[in-house]
Amino acid sequence: MSASNVYYELYRRSSIGVALIDSLDELIKDSKIQPQLAMKILSTFDRSISEALTDKVKSTRLSFKGHLDTYRFCDDVWTFIILDVHFKMEGNEAIVADKIKIVANNVKKPGEP
Amino acid sequence: MSNNIVGNAYRDIIEDVINSSRIDCEDSGVDETTLRELQLLWQERLTISGVVTFPSDQSAAEPESGTREAKVSCETSTSLRYAGSITLTSAAPQIVPRSTMAAMRSAPHIQELASGERVPAEIAGYSVNGVIKDVRLDGMTGLDSSNSTGSLIFGDVSCITQADGGSQELEVSREVVDRLLEGHILRQKFGRSEHATQQPVPQLVPGKREKANLRASDSSDNDSNNDSDDNEDSDAINSDLDDPEDEIHSQGDENEGSDAMMLCLYDRVTRVKNIWKCDFRDGAVHVNGIDYLFETAKGEFEW
């Protein structure tokens, strides 16, 4: 299987991913679907959201600053915990958060040059 | 970057996943009804969480107010539609969480009633959506549950379905939905005691209601419960030698769902002395209860 067919499971922790997992759990609990089918649907979700973020979300840029509280690099994954974060969105929209956790996978997937 | 872009992207992702999973479902012997139910549950959870407003929620308000809700004033119907979106949460922040809790609490019970009456799952799902709208109606406009206006709204099943997106191919029996929703309105009006007069409920339902109560309980309650449980566990496991900072971080990890989070890919991470500069791309950000998506992001942190 080529590396291009493997998509990160990172986005399962997003709001839309958690909502999907909860919905699948409910159907499994009600014995309407099998867990194996749920795993296939989640894999389909991984592909769909990765492609959507790559192809459909265009020209949306943001910048942010803050105080780096924790950093970690393990298994090619960076994890940061930033405090007192100030986001600057497009259109001069500013958002402030006390704390944010950033989990970032390598843009180059394993096996890619 | 606006939340509307996120709504469109999420809708496209949901449709793509559902359409792509159709073949897998057929191979596994799962019918179209269950797939639709998954889609409804998924969209419902996103709408209830308020992280995004689906375009169908907004667009449903304008065409539907003039036609299918002719029996109700336009203003009332518009407020009902927007009750399902995040726009009115800022107007009545105290009401929506309670409504959401009541809706989620009653939703499994409504589904159970529907299943007990041998009603297909999609009807139960639509009944759930009608219940959610019902709760928000009572909370937002203060209408008496015995008000005919309220009953008219929820007797119109097509209104319920339209708010949740197109699903014209499913036929819904108005009488069944009316019966289910009347029971819900009575429970709302007279409290839990009214439940004794309802048809007997299987023993599984109390357990499900308890579980729905756990799910529907306020996030702060969950946090406090988790914290109290964690304190008991931490007393049993941790020693006095533990770094107090580690305890703060571990509690933060458990409250991960409610905290701000960014999930993305990194292009480059550099550091000069204590200044870190990062280039991210293709990310999803959840901050202050709202979701954002970005193509590229630049971060600069001081350690």
Side-chain angles (χ1 to χ4, degrees):
Chain A
M1 185 167 59
S2 65
S4 62
N5 290 337
V6 178
Y7 297 92
Y8 286 125
E9 299 179 5
L10 168 76
Y11 301 105
R12 294 186 188 184
R13 300 162 71 175
S14 64
S15 303
I16 186 173
V18 169
L20 174 60
I21 290 173
D22 288 344
S23 303
L24 290 171
D25 281 344
E26 191 167 329
L27 293 179
I28 291 172
K29 185 189 69 175
D30 295 338
S31 302
K32 292 181 180 176
I33 63 171
Q34 295 295 321
Q36 294 82 358
L37 175 61
M39 297 307 297
K40 287 183 186 176
I41 294 175
L42 282 174
S43 298
T44 304
F45 168 78
D46 295 334
R47 175 192 59 77
S48 181
I49 192 170
S50 295
E51 289 177 353
L53 288 171
T54 303
D55 301 332
K56 295 179 184 175
V57 181
K58 290 292 186 184
S59 303
T60 49
R61 297 181 180 86
L62 66 91
S63 64
F64 56 102
K65 293 185 178 182
H67 167 69
L68 179 61
D69 181 73
T70 306
Y71 62 89
R72 182 186 303 132
F73 183 66
C74 181
D75 292 336
D76 217 20
V77 178
W78 274 105
T79 303
F80 302 101
I81 295 179
I82 314 294
L83 303 179
D84 299 326
V85 196
H86 291 258
F87 288 92
K88 282 185 185 174
M89 311 286 188
E90 287 181 339
N92 294 327
E93 184 183 353
I95 294 173
V96 177
D98 292 334
K99 176 179 155 185
I100 187 169
K101 182 174 183 178
I102 302 174
V103 181
N105 285 18
N106 198 337
V107 69
K108 297 175 186 175
K109 294 196 179 73
E112 282 185 0
Chain B
M1 173 171 52
S2 72
N3 205 241
N4 288 335
I5 299 175
V6 177
N8 287 329
Y10 277 12
R11 185 198 58 193
D12 292 342
I13 290 169
I14 291 174
E15 288 178 0
D16 183 35
V17 169
I18 295 298
N19 291 333
S20 302
S21 302
R22 191 162 278 118
I23 296 178
D24 290 330
C25 288
E26 288 174 359
D27 293 341
S28 302
V30 174
D31 60 1
E32 181 71 17
T33 307
T34 306
L35 197 58
R36 284 293 173 196
E37 186 179 349
L38 170 65
Q39 183 177 4
L40 284 174
L41 286 172
W42 194 2
Q43 287 178 338
E44 197 176 293
R45 281 191 156 84
L46 282 172
T47 304
I48 289 174
S49 64
V51 297
V52 69
T53 302
F54 283 106
S56 59
D57 290 338
Q58 293 178 349
S59 60
E62 299 169 359
E64 292 311 314
S65 61
T67 57
R68 298 186 184 185
E69 297 187 51
K71 297 177 184 177
V72 183
S73 66
C74 291
E75 292 179 358
T76 307
S77 63
T78 304
S79 67
L80 285 176
R81 289 283 168 256
Y82 280 108
S85 71
I86 62 172
T87 55
L88 272 180
T89 55
S90 58
Q94 295 180 353
I95 295 174
V96 171
R98 216 167 47 238
S99 307
T100 305
M101 286 167 54
M104 293 191 71
R105 196 163 46 235
S106 60
H109 181 55
I110 292 295
Q111 281 191 342
E112 188 65 26
L113 282 179
S115 60
E117 294 183 353
R118 296 182 185 175
V119 172
E122 65 270 23
I123 296 177
Y126 283 108
S127 304
V128 168
N129 294 327
V131 164
I132 291 171
K133 297 296 187 290
D134 179 4
V135 173
R136 287 208 171 104
L137 164 66
D138 290 345
M140 293 302 299
T141 64
L143 288 177
D144 190 3
S145 57
S146 61
N147 190 342
S148 60
T149 304
S151 63
L152 280 173
I153 294 170
F154 304 106
D156 188 355
V157 173
S158 56
C159 289
I160 298 171
T161 61
Q162 191 64 33
D164 296 318
S167 181
Q168 292 80 1
E169 63 273 16
L170 294 175
E171 295 180 357
V172 183
S173 166
R174 182 173 298 193
E175 293 172 2
V176 172
V177 173
D178 283 348
R179 199 155 18 117
L180 290 171
L181 291 172
E182 272 180 12
H184 173 72
I185 291 171
L186 285 173
R187 278 193 304 279
Q188 286 264 310
K189 187 175 182 181
F190 296 109
R192 291 290 178 187
S193 59
E194 188 64 19
H195 179 67
T197 63
Q198 303 294 327
Q199 56 185 332
V201 176
Q203 288 185 354
L204 286 175
V205 173
K208 285 189 178 181
R209 256 193 276 121
E210 288 173 1
K211 202 169 185 179
N213 286 336
L214 286 173
R215 281 184 186 173
S217 61
D218 198 11
S219 60
S220 60
D221 294 336
N222 271 337
D223 293 344
S224 62
N225 289 336
N226 287 335
D227 289 342
S228 61
D229 292 336
D230 292 333
N231 288 335
E232 293 176 357
D233 289 339
S234 63
D235 290 340
I237 298 174
N238 294 354
S239 71
D240 295 336
L241 298 175
D242 282 344
D243 188 354
E245 287 185 0
D246 289 340
E247 291 179 359
I248 293 171
H249 287 158
S250 64
Q251 288 175 4
D253 290 339
E254 283 152 4
N255 298 335
E256 202 173 275
S258 58
D259 287 345
M261 179 170 280
M262 176 187 294
L263 305 169
C264 56
L265 308 177
Y266 65 87
D267 258 332
R268 186 176 63 167
V269 176
T270 59
R271 178 189 67 86
V272 176
K273 292 187 180 177
N274 68 330
I275 302 296
W276 292 67
K277 291 187 180 180
C278 307
D279 293 337
F280 302 110
R281 63 167 55 211
D282 298 345
V285 186
H286 177 79
V287 62
N288 296 336
I290 299 176
D291 277 9
Y292 301 91
L293 303 177
F294 64 83
E295 183 187 13
T296 58
K298 286 186 182 295
E300 187 173 325
F301 328 123
E302 179 185 356
W303 183 74

